[in-house]
Amino acid sequence: MKRNFATPNEPLFLPMTEQGAPSSLWGDIVPAMVSESPATDLALGPPPISAVELVRQFVNHAVFGQPLPAPCHAHPKTGGLLSDPAPRQWQPGSDWTSAASERSARYATVYARTSLALQTAMREWIPSLYFDHPSRLEDLELAQGMIGWRASRPAVGQHVDRLCCDVLDPDMMDRCFFWVERNIRPVLRTLLPVSEKLDAKRRAYFDPRYAKRILARLRCAQRGFQMILKAEEDIITQLVKLASATPQWRIKAQRLPRQTAIEVDRGVERAMATVEARLRRIMPHGDVATTMRMVVIVLTNSFAEAQADSQNKAA
């Protein structure tokens, strides 16, 4: 089934019209612009809810009609070498009741938007949190992978089984590297105050003048760039599978509430355990708990945005 894309004036689906760009590629904003979102002042309150409990409450609300969680936010720690990512905040009004099932006609539209929103947020947050100390440049492959990922653009394929860049799809990887090549130098220049203090040999691995050499390393770095892309795919796949199961659980709960409650709990634990494991693999020193909460908030807000789009088109 072909994926239904939104119209070009929608912010998550901007067509890339620069000369030489592949005509079929869709993505979001240039990485250098990601940090321009205005920061919001968030009121102090009780300790933030965990991402697992947040997802559990969202699913239980959609399946059993239980209360929604209290308003919550994800506020990243600041002081990284890259620009500070913007906080994410959830307010009642967005939930999982509008999540589309796997066989729904809305599946492609809803989860394409969800995937692009998650890819955008993770590219903004994770590299910024990873580069919180000059020592992060010592892990060459992972550091270069983060730089390449920051420079890449979110993308979805033409079919419903391509919710993000597939490292085994040559066409998608070619389009991915097209944007990495165009955008990597600004990211490298941002890190110059730190990379210039390295010894001559290691400094060359982060020098914007040697961007083509760095790109060649990214193409074959299984542990770096490709590992990050695969982790991103696994995170999005797990979250989409969990969300798309919610409508079936809601139907089943009418007949077998106790069995459904057990399935919901196991499904949430399994999906979020995978999300946490993938995040810890690519950001071993970062604030994984806050990042997980951010991902859940972005996911939930995307459902409300997709629902609003559908209503606007129907009007």
Side-chain angles (χ1 to χ4, degrees):
M1 179 174 67
K2 294 290 185 182
R3 187 180 302 282
N4 297 319
F5 290 103
T7 56
N9 61 346
E10 295 179 357
L12 288 177
F13 295 83
L14 296 177
M16 301 308 166
T17 57
E18 298 179 42
Q19 185 175 4
S23 59
S24 61
L25 178 64
W26 293 71
D28 78 332
I29 56 181
V30 178
M33 297 171 58
V34 165
S35 63
E36 295 182 2
S37 302
T40 56
D41 293 329
L42 301 172
L44 296 177
I49 187 174
S50 72
V52 176
E53 183 58 28
L54 189 58
V55 170
R56 184 178 288 110
Q57 292 188 30
F58 279 132
V59 176
N60 282 331
H61 169 76
V63 175
F64 301 105
Q66 295 181 9
L68 282 166
C72 60
H73 63 81
H75 199 169
K77 296 178 181 178
T78 59
L81 305 179
L82 298 176
S83 54
D84 295 331
R88 295 298 196 277
Q89 190 163 8
W90 172 82
Q91 293 285 352
S94 57
D95 54 43
W96 289 38
T97 55
S98 59
S101 67
E102 186 175 3
R103 297 186 178 183
S104 169
R106 299 172 52 244
Y107 180 92
T109 301
V110 169
Y111 294 117
R113 170 179 283 277
T114 292
S115 177
L116 290 175
L118 289 170
Q119 291 180 60
T120 301
M122 287 192 290
R123 278 169 174 75
E124 177 189 358
W125 269 56
I126 294 175
S128 294
L129 297 182
Y130 176 82
F131 289 112
D132 63 346
H133 192 274
S135 64
R136 305 300 177 237
L137 296 179
E138 295 176 2
D139 189 337
L140 178 60
E141 288 192 351
L142 190 53
Q144 284 191 336
M146 280 290 172
I147 292 168
W149 191 45
R150 175 83 167 201
S152 67
R153 291 193 178 183
V156 293
Q158 294 294 324
H159 299 276
V160 295
D161 61 344
R162 292 290 185 272
L163 287 174
C164 51
C165 188
D166 183 353
V167 298
L168 299 179
D169 186 323
D171 291 336
M172 293 195 79
M173 289 301 292
D174 285 344
R175 297 199 298 269
C176 177
F177 276 109
F178 174 88
W179 292 113
V180 174
E181 183 175 2
R182 295 179 77 93
N183 300 325
I184 195 171
R185 289 172 181 82
V187 184
L188 291 169
R189 284 195 291 268
T190 302
L191 294 172
L192 273 176
V194 177
S195 63
E196 286 181 337
K197 298 178 182 179
L198 301 173
D199 60 81
K201 181 179 180 180
R202 189 166 291 273
R203 184 167 61 245
Y205 292 125
F206 302 99
D207 193 326
R209 295 175 297 177
Y210 305 133
K212 290 189 179 298
R213 186 186 305 173
I214 296 170
L215 285 166
R217 287 183 58 90
L218 290 176
R219 285 185 178 274
C220 61
Q222 296 288 339
R223 185 184 168 274
F225 187 48
Q226 293 186 31
M227 183 189 73
I228 295 173
L229 289 175
K230 186 64 173 66
E232 175 185 61
E233 181 184 17
D234 289 346
I235 290 169
I236 291 173
T237 297
Q238 288 297 317
L239 293 173
V240 168
K241 285 175 63 177
L242 182 62
S244 62
T246 303
Q248 281 75 31
W249 279 332
R250 184 163 53 241
I251 296 172
K252 186 174 182 178
Q254 299 174 4
R255 299 180 292 104
L256 302 167
R258 181 174 297 182
Q259 181 177 337
T260 304
I262 294 173
E263 290 183 12
V264 166
D265 194 60
R266 289 176 177 172
V268 169
E269 292 287 347
R270 183 167 51 248
M272 297 308 292
T274 300
V275 171
E276 181 177 3
R278 299 301 180 268
L279 287 175
R280 291 195 182 281
R281 180 180 299 176
I282 63 177
M283 50 183 303
H285 309 287
D287 186 355
V288 171
T290 304
T291 304
M292 289 178 65
R293 194 163 58 253
M294 177 277 294
V295 165
V296 174
I297 290 172
V298 170
L299 173 71
T300 306
N301 289 342
S302 73
F303 295 148
E305 294 164 1
Q307 182 74 5
D309 289 343
S310 298
Q311 294 174 350
N312 291 336
K313 292 176 181 178

